[in-house]
Amino acid sequence: MHFALDEDQEALQEAARDFLAELPGPLSMTEQGQAYDADAWARLVEEQGFPAIAVPEEAGGWGYGLFELAIVFEEAGRAMTPSPLFGTVALGVVPIVTCGTPAQQGSLLEPLLTGGTATAALDVDVRVTRFGGAWTLSGTARRVVDGHSADLVLVPTEAGVLAVDGDAIAQRVRRDVLDTSRPLADLVFDEVIVPDERVLTAAPWSEALRRARVLLAAESVGTADAALQTAVDYAKVREQYGQAIGRFQAVQHLLADVCLAVEEARAATWLAAATVDTDSTGLDALTAAALAGDALFQAAGQSIQVHGGVGFTWECVAHMHFKRARASRALLGEPADHRRAAADAVLGGA
Amino acid sequence: MELQWSTEAQAFREEVRTWLEDNLVGAFAKLRGRGGLGDMDAFVEERRVWEKHLAAAGWSCLAWPEAYGGRGASLEQEIVFQEEYARARGPGRLGHIGEGLLGPTVIRFGTDAQKARFLPPIVDCTELWCQGYSEPNAGSDLANVQTRAHRDGDDWVITGQKVWTSLAEFSEWCFVLARTDSDSQRHKGISCLLVPMDQPGVRVVPIRQMTGNAEFCEVFFDEATCPADHVVGPVNQGWKVAMYTLAVERGASTLAQNLSFQAEFDTVVEAARRRGRLGDAALRERLGGMAIRLRAMRASALRAITSFETAQAAGTHAGRETMITKLQWASLHRDLGELAMDVLGDDVLSLDASEGLEHDLHRLFLWARSDTIYAGTNQVQRNLIATRGLGLPR
């Protein structure tokens, strides 16, 4: 038993951290309707190969697992680099690997390993009908991550997960959002024809969701750690009453509680990433999702508090951490939802 | 990242499990689940017999070097033994202070004579130890020790008072932090003395807890004596020895503790089920939340075990992930105690509510109020996390 990163994983973590620290951070995307930095995304793909990490070698990837991807996602959360990474990998690449046959992986992943983007619709109101040996998709999807720009949109339906080309989407309307660093758009599908080879049925969508939750948890742990570190750094230098405010027990205890929440969530996320293929009840993924969601919100909220008046300003990064915290919780299930699901897993149904 | 235990550990686990199944029977059967925290004054004489039985089969002092009567067990083996012991609901260990605290300290700092005299009776469970650290004015602030000792001929003469001394009533020996340099202040001038309990100068008064039972004591030293060579480590440098004692725990019992808490949680769920309350949405969310925290406690414990191992091998300090565990489990257990009452409805009012259940929920509720206090209060833990973990200024 060795519950820690091994040497290769540490190297991956350090390389990701150093690389992402050079890219634009959350304060580069504070306005509604801004676009991602295309250069940053290109470098993420070409220099770091992030989308390829958890793709099987036969499909052109590195052949690593969810654990290695989680390490990178934690660093992406720490840097909070505005980019299509979460949408493309957590909601695109990983579901394709999970729910697609090797042939489907081969064809659908190729563009995503070379700069193409993807996402999944999580809130859908759609109908699928069988016609002419293919499926026809009509309806709407609300608040799709990167829905306005993604090259590929996965749509979970009763027929399976449909892989829909961005070009085939009738309407894509961007929303004004709480978290400007994670664009959302409403989509309209108008009789989109989806051939069988673009319908993923090798595993249920719930398996893809489980993995997406673990990756979101990892990202959230990274952002929470950044929020904590920002607050600690501030508390060390901000002086009032003749001393650093970090000397006051009230501040120390508040940040110690955040530290516990972050470290607990990190351990839970590592466990979930390591057991994702073997945990039959799904409790580990629920644990990571619930605790990471709560830890980030606590860390970001307390960071504002420790920063005092400055923490309330547009120029301070704290509000971006905070908005990311609250919005992330609403993406794949709130902590309360995960607690209820954990009860179902442990107690049996009501 | 590796979650699997080694094949040797798995084989060892089978060996332990089988032995416990075969031996926690007959007269020992009634000791299952007894004598643990919150119940330490139960079946003391019967547990002495059990521990001698454990010792005869080679299960005591597993991690001690073979030279001192142990098996030189690896951390993995220690962890596995503790887990299986907890799973079998093995009775609380009377010898845990000697085996886990005093023994390793003597191995590290003791003279050959001290090792020869004191280690074998710990291994064969014929002598019990209690820990004379806390005093009325030295709780969180242990450096405020006031118990004094001076040399008189061939003896140390000790006068003062210790408090919260678990198992003092039943122990043959006490390792006592005493101020041996009368001019000294704070952590300077303290020595660690090994004092026999059965003498006129030592008076033990049990303290009754809010749980109703009395698991710890006041110990009054009124010119009590011990031989001059019963000092562990250098005279007046006992603080270093005391800090070693407090840090010697390798995390071997944390997974077992998690299993015990899990078993208590299962009892809380059973109590709710019997009252038809498992359909209550708000309660379900709380139960799910507690299941999640228990799982996270396990993940955190695994991580801390590895972090301590790595740090020890490299001669470095373990990171902040090891500093949060006491705050985490103590708060969890306190909240579990509250949840235990909340599932009972009006049955909170009478103590027979736990009849037929594996764990006494009222005792859990009351006992858990001490978890956030002993072994470093939640407030002290936060101070440590903030200063040592986050680097905030003292």
Side-chain angles (χ1 to χ4, degrees):
Chain A
M1 194 284 292
H2 185 76
F3 201 95
L5 306 191
D6 61 37
E7 264 183 53
D8 289 343
Q9 290 163 348
E10 275 181 355
L12 178 66
Q13 180 187 59
E14 200 182 315
R17 186 176 302 191
D18 290 346
F19 173 79
L20 291 165
E22 304 291 306
L23 296 183
L27 287 174
S28 67
M29 203 155 157
T30 55
E31 308 300 328
Q32 301 290 347
Q34 277 178 276
Y36 289 130
D37 185 320
D39 185 59
W41 175 240
R43 291 186 63 199
L44 267 168
V45 174
E46 288 156 32
E47 285 176 47
Q48 298 292 310
F50 286 165
I53 290 173
V55 169
E57 287 181 89
E58 307 80 62
W62 296 8
Y64 287 119
L66 198 72
F67 192 83
E68 281 73 22
L69 203 48
I71 290 169
V72 166
F73 265 71
E74 184 177 326
E75 296 312 312
R78 185 189 313 284
M80 218 177 124
T81 316
S83 88
L85 181 69
F86 183 80
T88 300
V89 176
L91 300 180
V93 170
V94 171
I96 291 167
V97 170
T98 306
C99 302
T101 62
Q104 288 170 324
Q105 291 173 35
S107 68
L108 291 171
L109 290 176
E110 202 251 312
L112 303 184
L113 300 180
T114 50
T117 59
T119 188
L122 302 169
D123 180 2
V124 298
D125 179 12
V126 295
R127 295 158 302 288
V128 282
T129 47
R130 193 79 184 151
F131 183 77
W135 292 97
T136 305
L137 169 73
S138 289
T140 56
R142 281 200 317 177
R143 294 187 282 244
V144 179
V145 172
D146 301 339
H148 69 298
S149 60
D151 298 317
L152 182 73
V153 179
L154 301 182
V155 185
T157 71
E158 68 223 21
V161 182
L162 311 191
V164 175
D165 266 333
D167 293 339
I169 299 175
Q171 249 188 72
R172 312 218 236 181
V173 178
R174 202 160 157 177
R175 306 284 300 265
D176 280 351
V177 289
L178 175 63
D179 175 10
T180 52
S181 71
R182 188 119 72 196
L184 305 176
D186 290 345
L187 309 181
V188 176
F189 308 105
D190 186 3
E191 301 197 341
V192 179
I193 298 170
V194 183
D196 287 344
E197 58 264 26
R198 294 180 71 97
V199 179
L200 313 179
T201 56
W205 180 241
S206 57
E207 287 300 302
L209 273 182
R210 178 195 295 206
R211 285 154 177 79
R213 286 186 178 118
V214 173
L215 292 176
L216 180 59
E219 188 199 82
S220 298
V221 167
T223 309
D225 208 358
L228 171 60
Q229 196 57 52
T230 307
V232 167
D233 290 344
Y234 186 79
K236 285 176 175 173
V237 301
R238 170 68 176 169
E239 292 198 0
Q240 286 285 262
Y241 306 107
Q243 56 194 299
I245 63 168
R247 262 233 174 86
F248 299 125
Q249 262 196 357
V251 174
Q252 289 196 354
H253 285 202
L254 176 164
L255 291 173
D257 282 342
V258 172
C259 182
L260 166 56
V262 171
E263 293 303 336
E264 182 179 54
R266 177 175 284 124
T269 300
W270 284 5
L271 182 65
T275 63
V276 74
D277 293 324
T278 54
D279 177 20
S280 54
T281 65
L283 181 60
D284 288 347
L286 294 171
T287 298
L291 294 181
D294 280 338
L296 173 52
F297 190 71
Q298 185 180 351
Q302 295 291 46
S303 178
I304 294 173
Q305 188 69 19
V306 169
H307 278 85
V310 164
F312 195 67
T313 64
W314 195 258
E315 288 73 30
C316 179
V317 75
H319 74 104
M320 291 304 284
H321 290 153
F322 186 68
K323 290 164 182 171
R324 167 60 64 95
R326 192 55 190 87
S328 283
R329 270 174 47 182
L331 273 185
L332 293 174
E334 295 272 348
D337 297 324
H338 302 317
R339 287 191 285 273
R340 285 189 278 267
D344 289 344
V346 162
L347 309 176
Chain B
M1 180 63 156
E2 177 53 68
L3 291 179
Q4 297 302 322
W5 301 98
S6 67
T7 39
E8 293 80 24
Q10 290 177 55
F12 184 70
R13 188 186 292 279
E14 272 315 303
E15 194 193 324
V16 174
R17 186 177 292 188
T18 305
W19 189 90
L20 288 170
E21 254 169 44
D22 293 344
N23 284 270
L24 264 174
V25 296
F28 297 135
K30 70 171 187 281
L31 301 182
R32 283 197 198 242
R34 300 305 305 271
L37 293 178
D39 190 39
M40 287 190 285
D41 50 351
F43 293 127
V44 173
E45 291 318 306
E46 292 88 337
R47 283 191 288 139
R48 277 194 207 258
V49 177
W50 164 249
E51 298 212 1
K52 290 185 174 124
H53 187 75
L54 263 179
W59 295 115
S60 74
C61 303
L62 279 181
W64 289 16
E66 284 177 14
Y68 300 118
R71 281 166 66 160
S74 63
L75 179 57
E76 227 187 7
Q77 287 173 311
E78 265 197 285
I79 288 168
V80 162
F81 178 83
Q82 298 277 8
E83 275 194 308
E84 292 309 313
Y85 196 83
R87 225 189 285 276
R89 303 179 67 223
R93 293 290 311 281
L94 290 166
H96 78 273
I97 292 172
E99 178 172 324
L101 295 175
L102 191 276
T105 303
V106 167
I107 289 170
R108 169 75 178 79
F109 290 102
T111 63
D112 289 340
Q114 288 166 350
K115 290 172 185 171
R117 168 59 186 85
F118 291 113
L119 299 182
I122 296 173
V123 174
D124 62 25
C125 297
T126 51
E127 283 184 345
L128 295 178
W129 284 83
C130 60
Q131 184 181 17
Y133 276 23
S134 295
E135 298 179 359
N137 280 319
S140 293
D141 185 13
L142 186 59
N144 207 28
V145 156
Q146 309 289 314
T147 296
R148 291 178 178 278
H150 66 271
R151 280 290 301 275
D152 183 12
D154 291 333
D155 288 334
W156 290 101
V157 179
I158 303 126
T159 296
Q161 184 194 346
K162 295 295 179 183
V163 73
W164 317 130
T165 318
S166 302
L167 300 175
E169 271 185 288
F170 314 110
S171 299
E172 280 77 31
W173 288 91
C174 183
F175 60 102
V176 179
L177 281 189
R179 194 166 296 285
T180 41
D181 174 355
S182 55
D183 294 327
S184 65
Q185 301 273 0
R186 309 291 303 152
H187 55 273
K188 293 191 187 338
I190 293 173
S191 302
C192 181
L193 303 180
L194 308 180
V195 183
M197 292 293 281
D198 185 14
Q199 60 173 296
V202 175
R203 185 166 63 98
V204 176
V205 180
I207 300 170
R208 195 163 183 205
Q209 303 150 205
M210 75 186 219
T211 45
N213 58 341
E215 292 168 89
F216 43 41
C217 308
E218 291 178 294
V219 182
F220 296 93
F221 298 92
D222 186 6
E223 302 200 320
T225 62
C226 73
D229 62 358
H230 279 198
V231 58
V232 181
V235 174
N236 294 331
Q237 292 190 37
W239 185 255
K240 168 176 81 171
V241 176
M243 290 303 103
Y244 176 85
T245 309
L246 293 177
V248 80
E249 156 76 26
R250 303 196 284 176
S253 60
T254 53
L255 295 180
Q257 181 189 45
N258 182 251
L259 282 180
S260 298
F261 286 6
Q262 183 70 54
E264 288 173 328
F265 174 72
D266 292 343
T267 300
V268 173
V269 169
E270 179 57 23
R273 190 189 311 276
R274 290 185 187 185
R275 287 165 178 76
R277 303 199 57 199
L278 285 184
D280 179 305
L283 182 62
R284 285 182 79 82
E285 192 187 319
R286 287 180 67 193
L287 291 171
M290 184 54 69
I292 278 172
R293 287 173 73 182
L294 283 164
R295 198 74 189 139
M297 177 188 163
R298 182 172 179 80
S300 298
L302 289 168
R303 190 168 171 221
I305 286 165
T306 296
S307 293
F308 274 128
E309 253 190 319
T310 305
Q312 190 171 58
T316 55
H317 287 300
R320 66 193 205 197
E321 67 276 5
T322 63
M323 300 174 196
I324 52 99
T325 52
K326 210 264 165 173
L327 179 62
Q328 181 193 41
W329 69 251
S331 305
L332 185 157
H333 208 222
R334 173 203 60 207
D335 294 347
L336 180 60
E338 291 182 19
L339 190 52
M341 290 298 98
D342 293 350
V343 304
L344 294 182
D346 290 353
D347 288 343
V348 162
L349 296 170
S350 55
L351 296 181
D352 53 3
S354 292
E355 244 159 55
L357 291 173
E358 194 176 282
H359 292 94
D360 182 330
L361 298 183
H362 282 83
R363 199 217 310 263
L364 165 61
F365 171 62
L366 294 177
W367 168 260
R369 305 318 294 195
S370 71
D371 287 318
T372 55
I373 296 171
Y374 70 76
T377 65
N378 273 15
Q379 286 65 40
V380 163
Q381 298 299 329
R382 289 184 180 106
N383 286 349
L384 292 172
I385 292 166
T387 53
R388 291 189 206 165
L390 298 177
L392 290 169
R394 276 168 220 275

